[in-house]
Amino acid sequence: MIYSRIVGTGSYLPHNAVTNADLERRMDTSDEWIRSRTGIRQRYLAQEGETSSSLALEASRAAIASAGIDAGEIDLIIVATSTPDYIFPSTACLLQAKLGIKGCPAFDVQAVCSGFVYALSTADMFIRSGQHRCALVVGAEVFSRILDWNDRGTCVLFGDGAGAVILKADQKPGIIASALHADGAHVGILSVPGSICNGRVTGDPFLRMDGPAVFKFAVRVLDEVARETLGKCGLQVGDVDWLIPHQANLRILESTAKRLGLPPEKLIVTVDMHGNTSAASVPLALDTAVRDGRIRSGHKVMLQAVGGGFTWGAALVQM
Ligand code: ACO
């Protein structure tokens, strides 16, 4: 039996840190409002010239180094992003060229904030099929470019960044089980309802959100999908060493852990440091907790996400 295992992690944040106090100077908001509603203290915003592929490149280099592999070993690249550099080619193809790799398949996955969990699960299936042996899976976003900076209800919530893992074929399970879902009926509560047509933007090119509706939906499905994933492999909530939900909002994270019956000490929180980085948030949090020594070899980690679509999913991973 072939399984896939995470053998390296990496992440990258742009240098431009923007605190809540910085936002107070730009708009009618307050550190107190942002922290009490979301837990966010700061976010990092990409500067001119920085793109999803350039952030992905730095995160990928860190993951490649931590895996101790040569970039040439990578035989599959999947990038999760909703803010690609171009309409085409894919950000994965741009990343492939920047890494100096040729020939292996490279494609993007678009599942908004669930993108990394979708991409990880997809790469796991490619590896389990025996067709590929070493995948680079990345979540990378420049969400600051699709925010309406006049809408204080959304722009304070998000940031830019990237996270990556190297997934290799192994005799022992790394990705133990996963579950993916979508329900397009909920397009109205979170979307960027615009596109390019005949050289012009049509519709609305900014992120629009019904915050309370998203909150309720997210907490419900994160609980359900974690239990579903555990059910697939016959494990219990008590078997989970660490919970890494999509880093959207501290209150969503804490509610999810509480509903699952997991103590707060098992919850990895990085949203305070970088805001909601959409598809980058789960691998950013994973890399942070691996590097600071909390997540160690053998630990079981529940990765889970929910995002526009709506999409949601989880992967139970043994490190
Ligand atoms: N600063 C100050 N005041 C603000 C701000 C701001 N940045 N934004 C909104 N407000 C005001 C509103 O204008 C409103 O004022 P009013 O009552 O005078 O009209 C008031 O604050 C609304 O406050 P609350 O009702 O307390 O807001 P709520 O508790 O619903 O919190 C929030 C809003 C934080 C968006 C919440 O609904 C939420 O967390 N939703 C989840 C959204 C989320 O995480 N989305 C991430 C993207 S989706 C994903 O990743 C899955």
Side-chain angles (χ1 to χ4, degrees):
M1 187 89 175
I2 308 170
Y3 298 98
S4 75
R5 173 175 286 275
I6 293 176
V7 296
T9 64
S11 60
Y12 184 76
L13 291 163
H15 294 299
N16 180 25
V18 176
T19 64
N20 294 344
D22 294 330
L23 292 183
E24 278 180 8
R25 287 188 280 276
R26 290 172 61 172
M27 64 188 77
D28 181 16
T29 189
S30 67
D31 175 55
E32 195 282 322
W33 192 96
I34 300 170
R35 269 195 298 113
S36 64
R37 300 312 195 286
T38 72
I40 297 167
R41 293 169 183 275
Q42 61 173 14
R43 70 287 296 139
Y44 294 83
L45 302 186
Q47 284 172 314
E48 213 181 321
E50 284 185 304
T51 62
S52 287
S53 75
S54 68
L55 304 184
L57 176 65
E58 299 303 330
S60 300
R61 283 183 174 149
I64 289 165
S66 94
I69 62 159
D70 185 88
E73 281 181 54
I74 294 167
D75 62 7
L76 172 69
I77 300 175
I78 308 180
V79 174
T81 186
S82 304
T83 48
D85 293 24
Y86 299 148
I87 292 173
F88 73 80
S90 69
T91 304
C93 285
L94 301 176
L95 175 63
Q96 185 196 44
K98 286 179 175 174
L99 285 167
I101 307 170
K102 282 190 201 312
C104 71
F107 59 91
D108 288 1
V109 162
Q110 219 287 33
V112 201
C113 303
S114 310
F116 180 79
V117 172
Y118 264 63
L120 186 72
S121 178
T122 305
D124 173 51
M125 289 171 205
F126 270 72
I127 288 177
R128 279 175 191 241
S129 75
Q131 297 290 308
H132 296 270
R133 297 198 57 80
C134 183
L136 168 62
V137 184
V138 187
E141 302 279 15
V142 285
F143 249 56
S144 59
R145 309 252 161 91
I146 53 167
L147 299 176
D148 177 353
W149 288 94
N150 293 312
D151 176 9
R152 65 178 181 168
T154 55
C155 70
V156 303
L157 304 176
F158 296 90
D160 303 332
V165 301
I166 299 290
L167 204 58
K168 272 186 117 172
D170 204 304
Q171 302 289 314
K172 288 182 292 182
I175 313 292
I176 301 170
S178 63
L180 302 177
H181 294 283
D183 182 350
H186 300 283
V187 63
I189 61 172
L190 181 61
S191 64
V192 179
S195 62
I196 302 285
C197 182
N198 295 326
R200 283 202 300 274
V201 173
T202 61
D204 180 353
F206 295 120
L207 183 147
R208 302 299 175 200
M209 178 180 74
D210 175 346
V214 168
F215 193 102
K216 268 171 66 183
F217 191 93
V219 170
R220 178 174 62 80
V221 299
L222 288 173
D223 177 46
E224 285 172 6
V225 80
R227 292 182 191 281
E228 178 191 355
T229 306
L230 287 167
K232 282 186 170 189
C233 52
L235 292 176
Q236 313 296 320
V237 170
D239 296 314
V240 175
D241 295 299
W242 297 103
L243 180 68
I244 304 187
H246 166 46
Q247 305 286 310
N249 173 316
L250 183 61
R251 288 192 302 158
I252 294 180
L253 271 69
E254 288 178 344
S255 301
T256 303
K258 197 169 166 198
R259 278 175 79 130
L260 281 169
L262 270 172
E265 310 84 74
K266 291 192 169 190
L267 180 65
I268 304 287
V269 176
T270 56
V271 67
D272 54 326
M273 293 306 295
H274 53 63
N276 181 346
T277 57
S278 190
S281 90
V282 168
L284 261 165
L286 175 66
D287 183 51
T288 301
V290 166
R291 284 176 195 266
D292 70 21
R294 275 177 292 173
I295 295 181
R296 294 192 300 276
S297 181
H299 283 177
K300 290 188 184 67
V301 186
M302 178 67 79
L303 309 176
Q304 47 170 202
V306 53
F310 252 73
T311 56
W312 64 103
L316 183 66
V317 174
Q318 177 144 351
M319 300 298 290

